[in-house]
Amino acid sequence: MSRQSLAKAHQKIQELAWEPQYHEPYMKYKTDYTFRKAAKKDPLKQVLRSYFPMEEEKDNRVYGAQDGAIRGNMFRQVQERWLEWQKLFLSIIPLPEISAARSMPMLFHVVPNPELHNGQAIQMIDEVRHSTIQQNLKRLYMNNYIDPAGFNNSLRNFQSDYCGTIGRQFAEGFITGDAITAASIYLTIVAETAFTNTLFVAMPAEAAANGDYLLPTVFHSVQSDESRHISNGYATLLMALSDEDNRQLLERDLRYAWWNNHRVVDAAIGTFIEYGTKDRRKDRESYAEMWRRWIYDDYYRSYLVPLERYGLVIPHDLVEEAWTQIWEKGYVHEVAQFFATGWLANYWRIDAMTDEDFEWFEYKYPGWYDRYGKWWENYARLATPNGHHPIVAEDVDYVYPHRCWTCMVPCLVREDMVMQEVDGQWRTYCHEVCRWTDAEAFRPVYQGRETPNMGRLVGHREWETLYHGWNWADVVSDMGFVRDDGKTMTAQPHLDLDPKKMWTLDHMRRMGPLLSPNVILNEMTDAERDAFKADYNRQGPAGRSAPSDA
Amino acid sequence: MPGPAPWHVPAASQNSLCPPNGEAETTPMTTTERPERSVPKPVFTDAEAGAREFPDSSAGARRYNYFSPAKRKQTHYEDVTVEVQPDPRHYLSQGWIYGFANGETGYPLHWTKLKAWGVDEPEPRRGPGTGGLHVQNWPAHGWHEFRDPNEEWEQTLYRYNANVVRQLTQNVDNARNSKAFSLWASNWVHFVERHVGAWMHIEHILGLYVFAANERSGPTNMHNTAMAANSARKIRFAQDLALYNLTLTEEIDGFDGTAHLQAWNSDAEWQGARALTEALTAVEDDWGEAMFAANVVFEPLVGELFRSNLVMQSAAPNGDFVTPTVMGAGENDYSQRDLRWTVACFAPLTQDKEFADHNRQLMAGWLTKWVPQALESARTMQPLWSAADHKPPRFEDSLDRAKNRFAGICRDLGLDSPEELKQ
């Protein structure tokens, strides 16, 4: 920009602040929070005259790197194990990004501070950037990676697939319900401030270790915008804290947002980083180590805890519980095992863990082999079709799990599963906090207080319900996870592209029907349900059936 | 899972360059003994396109195959935009998973009274054993046919706006270096500080509280992204004017950098435009009406009237060749981009195969509602045509030009010019 200093320029554009004189703007989005007008400063101090050239320059670097990667034959060195998981990740992430853009006007409507609106508007533009730059990265992978299947139909797949539906919480949660719960607490205070560290910093490092330096190029460029968004959330949070009446809602929303982000992001990114890599150097960080550094230390201890002095009630217990889930209860390993169990309902290929992987897991997570090793050996044994079914229909001592009604990740830590009849339907939850989220938090009354603007959990949240009683071949066809020969499945439980070793719809046709655990649960008598729960809570780890001697 | 915390590394192994027990002192390293660094090793994987043949390995499989392009070949813009915002009438088989308190979910089609063909068809009713019920004949409704002719995505957005601000910065710097501001007639200085300055508020309000405020409401990603891009241009233009005002404050003795606030808040000439601008932010629950009223009615009858037919016509005779370049950037935003997407969005609705009459009547009603307000605002601004020493074309001639322009836009949309235009 010209000789005007940024501070001066930023000061000048504050003269644009608008106080309505003739008509109040229509407030479409609502909140149960109350805000007093406050002279909170725009933390971004961004002026568009410098912003647009800056972002253009960042773009030029990204696109230059992409040209270089293609000319340098990057895909001759990319690990297929890694790129396959990108079919899931890059089908999900453009929607959360564009949803973040869509959530910004919700804040204009409820946060009475014109100066903050400037920052929110710039975040809106940033998020359009992120969504389209990520769609473009996926397009580049599709064009240059050996196997385009799964990239080429990614948005159809994502919208039909249960993993995509889990991921959609990280999008719909930003744009629906109470505007502050959604666009401020869930999006900026928790998702962006805590979990983009693992999404956009830790994961790209793993990509580079697997020969993919385009993901880091794009996502570090994205992350350099995120730091500004974090400031947006902080400023709004401080405004909310200035009103005592908001504290009960802040406590509720922090508990919900923290726990849901943990359930969703740790499930997905933990799996990508631990099971999508071929880098088994002992001194590279595990996901648990990364989590401890990026989320526990950088977010919880450095960002969240200091807010206690402003009266924010921090969910210390849930932070510790999330860590317990990851470290002691093997949450990420359980999720990865489930994704592999259900490989046939996916649209990417998942190969078996090898001896080298086993050694690394055992080093990083002592006791891992005793829990998961045998199952992965079975997975490798059953990888190519040879007269047997996919692993989900074979006897490998794995009980197909029920789905959590709230976070939609299955109830994999079996001992934690709880049930409740809600809205006339028996529902399973992976954890007490997910039960609380559905049965208590997302309701029009919370702890005796009217919360008329709180959102609702809706939709066909258990994927299997839609296909209850269907043959697996018809399920896969209906979802569209089939290659262009009309019979070979997009997903495979190995990385061998020899057509003779690939599973087809004919193999699926031989399996029994898919049954919905939730439909079955609701057909049970009360006594049967109680017995079911008692048995379920004794199952595991690694999905093992309950011991018969107990 | 029991065991030591994984982040706890025994002190002795923390740095391999400093072995314990003083070993380093007794066995000094030579340059040829440098320990191997722990870094990922490149591996030849041969995972590039074309390395093997298998189902889906052909070149034909290397395109997004989940949407139909508007033309024969799908564009880059379509690839990064279409279907990113899902639709339960297409692939979203589990439906939206979060709802508002009133039961609304996702992007309801009734958030405007406009209708595109197919919107009254019910969503597929899914339940136990129904399968995904993906809509086979796509698009399921006419809203999905819209494509922004500007093809806005991040690269176009940043390239365009970065070019504009670079050009403006150069223009203003050149003017400063050549002392061009000293040539301005004194009345023109006051006109610019007061009235050109006042216009920044309109752009800012429209950018934030009309365009950005509605980019959550449109039925498809293409609509919402077009609104977001329109918003970005408006906010940029408002800031262009504010920073130009700051430059003039620094460069022209006696230039009052706060006069625009006084004009905006209390000058009678501005209160009509202000009331109308604020009314645009108050459109209730109809993104279509807000966009239509802003870009079809307000912009030609008030925006271009002021920017083109007053400021850009008046500046040169008053010694000012700089302000038209600043105003011209905003004028170009509207005429070349904002209006283009607006016509592409609304014109097909007046020819819609199912709801053409409904939409034409609705838009005619909007014209009846908004055109008189716009003309009243325009007439309230009339004294500005006499404010400078060297006068622009007569107000009535300027207004006639604006009306002709507006009538042309109505024709492009397939609408009759409203009777109210004769006022």
Side-chain angles (χ1 to χ4, degrees), chain A residues 249-421:
Chain A
L249 300 181
L250 280 168
E251 183 182 1
R252 176 198 67 184
D253 289 346
L254 257 186
R255 292 184 76 78
Y256 144 67
W258 165 265
W259 188 254
N260 189 267
N261 271 271
H262 150 65
R263 279 333 230 185
V264 174
V265 180
D266 288 336
I269 307 302
T271 299
F272 302 157
I273 286 178
E274 302 291 54
Y275 289 81
T277 186
K278 293 291 280 185
D279 180 17
R280 295 306 186 192
R281 288 172 299 131
K282 299 269 174 60
D283 57 352
R284 82 112 168 136
E285 284 185 324
S286 67
Y287 186 71
E289 289 168 296
M290 292 176 187
W291 197 95
R292 196 74 189 181
R293 178 153 68 104
W294 291 110
I295 295 181
Y296 194 90
D297 290 340
D298 274 16
Y299 174 70
Y300 170 57
R301 291 175 57 188
S302 304
Y303 172 87
L304 214 48
V305 169
L307 285 167
E308 263 184 331
R309 67 173 178 266
Y310 297 108
L312 190 66
V313 179
I314 309 293
H316 299 289
D317 57 327
L318 297 189
V319 175
E320 298 300 337
E321 175 61 12
W323 173 242
T324 300
Q325 292 280 322
I326 289 170
W327 182 236
E328 292 184 12
K329 298 189 175 181
Y331 182 65
V332 171
H333 308 300
E334 299 278 342
V335 171
Q337 183 191 16
F338 176 76
F339 283 164
T341 295
W343 67 262
L344 62 173
N346 297 334
Y347 49 91
W348 61 97
R349 297 177 289 143
I350 304 173
D351 64 325
M353 295 298 106
T354 65
D355 288 348
E356 191 185 0
D357 299 315
F358 290 176
E359 191 182 334
W360 185 88
F361 278 117
E362 190 62 28
Y363 179 78
K364 289 293 184 181
Y365 300 95
W368 181 91
Y369 182 82
D370 283 346
R371 287 184 169 196
Y372 306 103
K374 191 72 188 164
W375 185 90
W376 279 105
E377 285 166 359
N378 277 319
Y379 186 82
R381 177 174 61 82
L382 299 166
T384 51
N386 189 20
H388 54 78
H389 294 306
I391 193 168
V392 69
E394 291 288 334
D395 181 8
V396 291
D397 196 14
Y398 185 84
V399 181
Y400 191 82
H402 280 240
R403 195 162 293 273
C404 176
W405 190 262
T406 297
C407 73
M408 293 176 288
V409 179
C411 310
L412 297 168
V413 178
R414 313 284 169 133
E415 67 194 88
D416 291 338
M417 188 274 281
V418 293
M419 297 189 318
Q420 186 171 333
E421 188 175 18

Side-chain angles (χ1 to χ4, degrees), chain A residues 4 12 15 22 28-29 51 59 63 76 78 101-102 117 136 139 142 165 283 328 461 466 478, chain B residues 1 38 45 48 62 76 79 94 97 131-132 154 158 209 215-216 221 245 247 260 271 278 285:
Chain A
Q4 290 154 358
K12 180 69 183 179
E15 292 174 9
Y22 300 96
K28 183 173 180 61
Y29 306 101
Y51 168 80
D59 268 5
Y63 288 96
R76 290 181 189 169
V78 160
R102 307 296 176 241
H117 299 169
N136 190 62
R139 186 175 182 266
M142 174 181 70
T165 311
D283 57 352
E328 292 184 12
R461 302 177 77 85
L466 301 180
D478 191 62
Chain B
M1 187 178 290
S38 173
T45 59
E48 67 180 349
R62 296 185 186 280
H76 205 144
D79 275 353
Q94 289 182 253
I97 52 176
E154 55 130 0
Y158 289 112
Y209 303 105
E215 64 92 44
R216 163 73 183 87
N221 197 36
N245 184 282
T247 297
H260 67 96
Q271 300 317 300
E278 293 188 357
D285 207 13

Side-chain angles (χ1 to χ4, degrees), chain A residues 2-4 8-9 12-13 15-16 18-26 28-29 47-49 51-53 55-56 59 63 75-79 95 98 101-102 105 108 117-118 121 124-125 129 132-133 135-136 138-139 142-149 151-153 155-156 159-160 165 168 172 175-177 209 256 281 283 289 323 327-328 365-366 408 452 454-461 463 465-467 470 478 483-485 488 496-498, chain B residues 1 4 6-7 38-40 43-49 51-52 54-56 61-66 76 79-80 82-84 86 91-101 107 111 126-132 134 153-155 157-159 161-162 165-166 169 173 176-177 200-201 204-205 208-209 212-213 215-217 221 224-225 231-232 235-236 239-240 242-243 245-247 250 257 260-261 265 271 274-275 278-279 281-285:
Chain A
S2 64
R3 280 175 261 172
Q4 290 154 358
K8 227 169 161 184
K12 180 69 183 179
I13 65 170
E15 292 174 9
L16 291 164
W18 169 48
E19 283 293 331
Q21 200 160 300
Y22 300 96
H23 300 276
E24 290 290 332
Y26 172 61
K28 183 173 180 61
Y29 306 101
V47 178
L48 290 179
R49 186 178 286 184
Y51 168 80
F52 283 121
E55 295 291 348
E56 187 193 36
D59 268 5
Y63 288 96
F75 289 89
R76 290 181 189 169
Q77 296 179 11
V78 160
Q79 291 291 349
L95 178 65
I98 207 68
R102 307 296 176 241
F108 300 168
H117 299 169
N118 282 323
M124 172 191 77
I125 307 166
R129 169 176 193 254
T132 54
I133 205 172
Q135 268 294 103
N136 190 62
K138 182 169 59 184
R139 186 175 182 266
M142 174 181 70
N143 282 326
N144 295 282
Y145 170 61
I146 189 167
D147 183 12
F151 284 128
N152 56 11
N153 49 4
L155 289 186
R156 169 181 178 157
Q159 295 175 23
S160 305
T165 311
R168 270 198 283 128
E172 290 186 47
I175 57 167
T176 320
Y256 144 67
R281 288 172 299 131
D283 57 352
E289 289 168 296
W323 173 242
W327 182 236
E328 292 184 12
Y365 300 95
M408 293 176 288
M454 191 59 176
R456 304 282 179 271
L457 302 185
V458 298
H460 303 288
R461 302 177 77 85
W463 160 82
T465 306
L466 301 180
Y467 294 102
W470 281 45
D478 191 62
R483 290 168 185 262
D484 61 6
D485 63 352
T488 305
D496 193 337
L497 288 166
D498 178 352
Chain B
M1 187 178 290
W7 60 95
S38 173
V39 290
V43 179
F44 178 71
T45 59
D46 202 16
E48 67 180 349
R52 293 190 72 168
F54 54 90
D56 257 344
R62 296 185 186 280
R63 50 174 280 275
Y64 288 151
N65 58 22
Y66 46 81
H76 205 144
D79 275 353
V80 297
V82 179
E83 289 281 0
V84 173
Y91 299 127
L92 200 64
S93 54
Q94 289 182 253
W96 296 104
I97 52 176
Y98 279 79
F100 286 99
Y107 296 87
W111 281 2
R126 302 175 175 104
T130 61
H134 300 136
W153 65 295
E154 55 130 0
Q155 281 210 298
L157 187 69
Y158 289 112
R159 279 179 187 159
N161 285 290
V165 296
R166 264 195 297 270
T169 303
D173 281 351
R176 182 197 284 119
N177 292 336
M200 70 173 85
H201 299 281
H204 180 75
I205 293 169
L208 266 178
Y209 303 105
E215 64 92 44
R216 163 73 183 87
S217 303
N221 197 36
N224 288 325
T225 298
S231 159
I235 300 169
R236 189 218 75 230
Q239 294 189 6
D240 290 343
L243 298 181
N245 184 282
L246 178 60
T247 297
E250 293 167 343
H260 67 96
L261 288 166
N265 287 326
Q271 300 317 300
R274 176 168 184 162
E278 293 188 357
T281 72
V283 171
E284 284 202 15
D285 207 13

Side-chain angles (χ1 to χ4, degrees), chain A residues 533-545:
Chain A
K533 181 176 183 299
D535 181 77
Y536 198 97
N537 287 149
R538 290 169 49 245
Q539 293 170 11
R544 289 178 193 139
S545 49

Side-chain angles (χ1 to χ4, degrees), chain A residues 66-78:
Chain A
Q66 292 184 349
D67 285 351
I70 293 166
R71 291 197 191 106
N73 300 315
M74 183 188 89
F75 289 89
R76 290 181 189 169
Q77 296 179 11
V78 160

Side-chain angles (χ1 to χ4, degrees), chain A residues 156 472-482 486 505 509, chain B residues 134:
Chain A
R156 169 181 178 157
W472 267 102
D474 297 328
V475 173
V476 174
S477 293
D478 191 62
M479 290 192 295
F481 302 167
V482 183
L505 295 179
R509 186 79 57 197
Chain B
H134 300 136

Side-chain angles (χ1 to χ4, degrees), chain B residues 70-71 77 114 116 142-152 219-220 222-223 226 230 287 291-292 295-296 334-352 359 363 409-414:
Chain B
K71 296 180 181 167
Y77 154 75
L114 290 165
W143 288 117
H144 286 281
E145 293 177 334
F146 170 67
R147 298 289 187 272
D148 178 359
N150 303 315
E151 303 202 333
E152 292 285 16
T220 75
M222 288 74 77
H223 291 88
N230 198 144
W287 67 267
M291 295 301 106
F292 185 92
N295 274 352
V296 174
Y334 172 66
S335 63
Q336 298 304 312
R337 293 183 106 82
D338 303 347
L339 183 59
R340 276 183 82 198
W341 84 259
T342 305
V343 171
C345 174
F346 289 95
L349 297 171
T350 66
Q351 312 298 321
D352 186 89
N359 291 330
M363 290 186 218
I409 294 170
C410 287
R411 275 196 302 279
D412 291 343
L413 291 174

